[in-house]
Amino acid sequence: MGADCPMWIANEHVAAAGGDWIEVDDPATQEVIGRVAAGGAPDVDRAAAAAVGAADDWRYTAANDRAELLHEAVARSLAEFDQLVELLTREQGKPRPEQEEEVEWALTSLRYYAELGRNGLGRVIPSGEPRTQLNLVLKEPYGVVGAIVPWNYPLLLLSWKLAPALAAGNTVVIKPSELTSMVTLEWIKRCFDHFPPGVVNVVTGTGLDAGEALVRHPDVRVIALTGSVETGQRVASIAAPMMKHLHLELGGKDAFVVAPDADLPSAVEALAYSALINAGQVCTSSERVYVPAGVRDEVAEAIASKVSDLRLGHGLDAEVDVGPLIGERYRDKVARHVDDAVARGARVLVGGARPDRRGYFYEPTVLVDVDDDMTIMQEETFGPTIPIAAYDTIDEAIARVNAHPMGLGAVLRSDDPATIKHFYETVKVGTVWINDPLTDNYAGPFGGMKMTGGGRELGPEGLETFLDTKHVHWDFSQEAKEWWYPY
Ligand code: NAD
């Protein structure tokens, strides 16, 4: 049994009002490593009150000072880097190099928005009465932002909300996933306690208890959620009558398309990374693979060979390539998708089973003879599976990519400019990677189309999300205007 981790409200440790705790385990060993407070509505009330209390001073803190505080959080995080990476690995599971990248990327987000936040709060536009009037388009913080975060990249996806929300002058109540609350709490307690009390708060608990209470709270005017489509629909249905500003980053079912001209050996290398990083638990994992019919067998055999060399194990073991899934119910879903595909005629070339060891592991799995109507090609699997389908023409492949209701990202392997341009112009997704999958660039927006939710994080768009807009018409004189009554 590890440590008890209370919540963090107004820079103080706070146990849940109900006194309950949620156990957290290491997904690679299934051993309990700690407990987090099971918060609910009274705890959200307390955190929201702290955030409201801090909002006015924070709004009027100079942007330059806010930037310095964010840079200080980066410096503190670097001093805690190894401890954060280790806890992140124990709680979340993916291999240590991927966790190091996660923390580094999260810090890049803090640095980027620290600087972007200095740059402007709207614009002055030409007035209808240029001698006597000024028209100002102002960007101002909403007040309190609720940030609801999933477990697959708990610090990174938090940073994409926290950094721009703070840089924009909002205070924040964070609701991490109950599966990765320990590392979230540790990061915020160790690296953000130099912020004024109430500016950054963490309420832990389940989505149904703490999450919904945050969405329902009248003082929390923005809900920024990264999570599944189902959670997004539920949150939207609660928030809509309250006219809250919603920022939804939801699920994906990304396609990986090998064009007819593509170099196959390098496409196979890219596919293995794109489908299996974080054991496939990435919103932009390649979950559907489309290859030309004539090379389907060659690609499938090569990727099966590559995948069978990958080493499963604890993320802290330096020899490990692929970690566990986050929990039993997530592993069950992967098994259900594979079993359904096999029952409907798919063939497993490698994997397709739970290995005989502790931990929520599932063998990296390559399948062929899959149809687009199989569950594994329709629902988000969020696991280490590579289902490979064959196509006859690139237009057919694009149509099949677009037939899916989600639209987060897509990968194309090609060197043919005409194919590439046609692909990126016609696929209905928010991010297109040509040849090098799943790269991030903080200066550009990330998000999805269609059922993925349409929010955008990163880039200037990611700051804009946390700024409300106001148009001020300012006349410098008190004199009556000739166009007023009487006509
Ligand atoms: P999830 O939807 O189960 O949970 C996400 C967060 O929402 C958690 O903190 C959870 O406690 C909370 N939550 C759940 N129900 C809630 C409710 N009714 N009200 C308020 N909050 C609630 O998702 P998950 O399993 O943690 O993460 C995986 C999902 O996230 C996948 O669907 C994945 O595609 C998606 N995701 C999307 C992106 C993106 O950028 N689009 C990035 C990463 C993950």
Side-chain angles (χ1 to χ4, degrees):
M1 167 70 75
D4 281 351
C5 303
M7 295 180 285
W8 185 247
I9 299 175
N11 292 3
E12 287 179 3
H13 292 110
V14 177
D20 293 331
W21 298 89
I22 299 171
E23 285 189 345
V24 179
D25 65 1
D26 176 336
T29 62
Q30 298 176 240
E31 281 164 17
V32 174
I33 55 172
R35 301 193 308 172
V36 294
D43 307 294
V44 168
D45 287 348
R46 186 167 174 173
V52 168
D56 191 57
D57 280 351
W58 185 243
R59 174 186 174 174
Y60 286 106
T61 298
N64 287 345
D65 294 338
R66 292 201 290 254
E68 293 310 323
L69 291 172
L70 283 164
H71 285 303
E72 170 69 18
V74 173
R76 290 174 179 225
S77 304
L78 289 171
E80 302 281 348
F81 189 84
D82 287 342
Q83 295 91 314
L84 286 171
V85 165
E86 179 165 343
L87 180 55
L88 187 57
T89 312
R90 287 195 191 286
E91 197 176 22
Q92 194 279 331
K94 59 187 178 288
R96 190 182 177 105
E98 295 179 23
Q99 311 287 15
E100 289 174 352
E101 275 180 342
E102 169 165 1
V103 178
E104 283 161 6
W105 291 336
L107 301 188
T108 302
S109 174
L110 297 193
R111 291 188 191 100
Y112 176 75
Y113 283 112
E115 292 308 307
L116 205 64
R118 300 181 198 258
N119 280 348
L121 276 179
R123 61 193 196 275
V124 181
I125 60 171
S127 165
E129 298 292 323
R131 290 188 187 281
T132 59
Q133 292 188 3
L134 205 51
N135 281 58
L136 308 172
V137 179
L138 299 183
K139 296 286 176 180
E140 62 183 39
Y142 283 88
V144 181
V145 168
I148 306 181
V149 186
W151 48 263
N152 62 334
Y153 288 89
L155 301 189
L156 179 69
L157 297 174
L158 170 57
S159 76
W160 292 4
K161 299 168 177 38
L162 182 63
L166 292 176
N170 301 278
T171 57
V172 181
V173 179
I174 300 160
K175 210 303 278 176
S177 166
E178 51 275 40
L179 300 169
T180 46
S181 292
M182 286 173 63
V183 71
T184 308
L185 283 162
E186 283 307 302
W187 189 39
I188 299 300
K189 289 175 189 175
R190 293 182 191 203
C191 305
F192 290 80
D193 77 340
H194 59 294
F195 281 69
V199 171
V200 184
N201 310 277
V202 186
V203 174
T204 54
T206 65
L208 279 182
D209 292 332
E212 289 205 6
L214 190 59
V215 177
R216 290 182 197 284
H217 199 288
D219 292 336
V220 180
R221 292 306 308 162
V222 183
I223 294 293
L225 163 77
T226 300
S228 63
V229 171
E230 295 72 27
T231 301
Q233 289 168 325
R234 173 82 185 146
V235 165
S237 72
I238 297 169
M242 303 171 83
M243 294 298 166
K244 293 203 176 193
H245 178 67
L246 280 185
H247 177 83
L248 302 176
E249 295 281 350
L250 307 178
K253 190 70 188 171
D254 286 10
F256 185 108
V257 178
V258 178
D261 71 286
D263 172 67
L264 298 183
S266 63
V268 164
E269 298 294 323
L271 173 59
Y273 175 79
S274 192
L276 300 179
I277 180 175
N278 197 1
Q281 302 170 113
V282 188
C283 52
T284 50
S285 288
S286 295
E287 294 215 354
R288 302 179 284 153
V289 183
Y290 294 103
V291 300
V295 296
R296 200 280 313 261
D297 290 348
E298 184 181 345
V299 170
E301 280 160 26
I303 189 77
S305 163
K306 170 90 190 164
V307 161
S308 55
D309 289 340
L310 297 177
R311 300 155 299 179
L312 290 186
H314 198 292
L316 290 174
D317 179 345
E319 306 295 307
V320 160
D321 301 306
V322 180
L325 299 171
I326 191 71
E328 192 63 65
R329 118 180 127 85
Y330 298 85
R331 178 163 68 165
D332 282 349
K333 183 179 182 191
V334 177
R336 191 161 36 80
H337 286 193
V338 171
D339 294 348
D340 170 80
V342 170
R344 293 164 70 181
R347 274 186 300 132
V348 171
L349 296 189
V350 64
R354 298 167 168 86
D356 184 18
R357 59 182 297 162
R358 278 184 74 74
Y360 307 116
F361 291 94
Y362 194 87
E363 292 170 355
T365 299
V366 177
L367 298 117
V368 290
D369 298 339
V370 291
D371 297 330
D372 286 358
D373 60 356
M374 290 177 179
T375 309
I376 202 163
M377 296 292 273
Q378 283 297 320
E379 290 180 19
E380 193 177 31
T381 305
F382 234 53
T385 53
I386 307 180
I388 301 177
Y391 70 82
D392 291 321
T393 66
I394 192 73
D395 280 326
E396 176 206 325
I398 292 171
R400 289 166 72 181
V401 171
N402 285 339
H404 198 276
M406 292 195 251
L408 186 53
V411 179
L412 176 71
R413 293 284 308 184
S414 176
D415 278 333
D416 175 47
T419 303
I420 293 168
K421 182 170 182 289
H422 181 52
F423 184 86
Y424 71 62
E425 284 180 352
T426 49
V427 285
K428 293 297 285 180
V429 299
T431 304
V432 179
W433 287 279
I434 311 295
N435 293 328
D436 186 5
L438 274 51
T439 48
D440 277 341
N441 181 341
Y442 286 75
F446 175 84
M449 296 181 178
K450 303 196 290 185
M451 292 297 282
T452 299
R456 291 292 181 277
E457 295 185 308
L458 302 182
E461 291 88 344
L463 183 66
E464 187 79 13
T465 292
F466 297 105
L467 288 166
D468 215 348
T469 302
K470 184 181 282 172
H471 184 175
V472 177
H473 302 246
W474 180 2
D475 189 284
F476 305 143
S477 121
Q478 304 278 321
E479 288 171 14
K481 302 296 181 194
E482 62 191 35
W483 55 87
W484 293 356
Y485 294 130
Y487 294 140

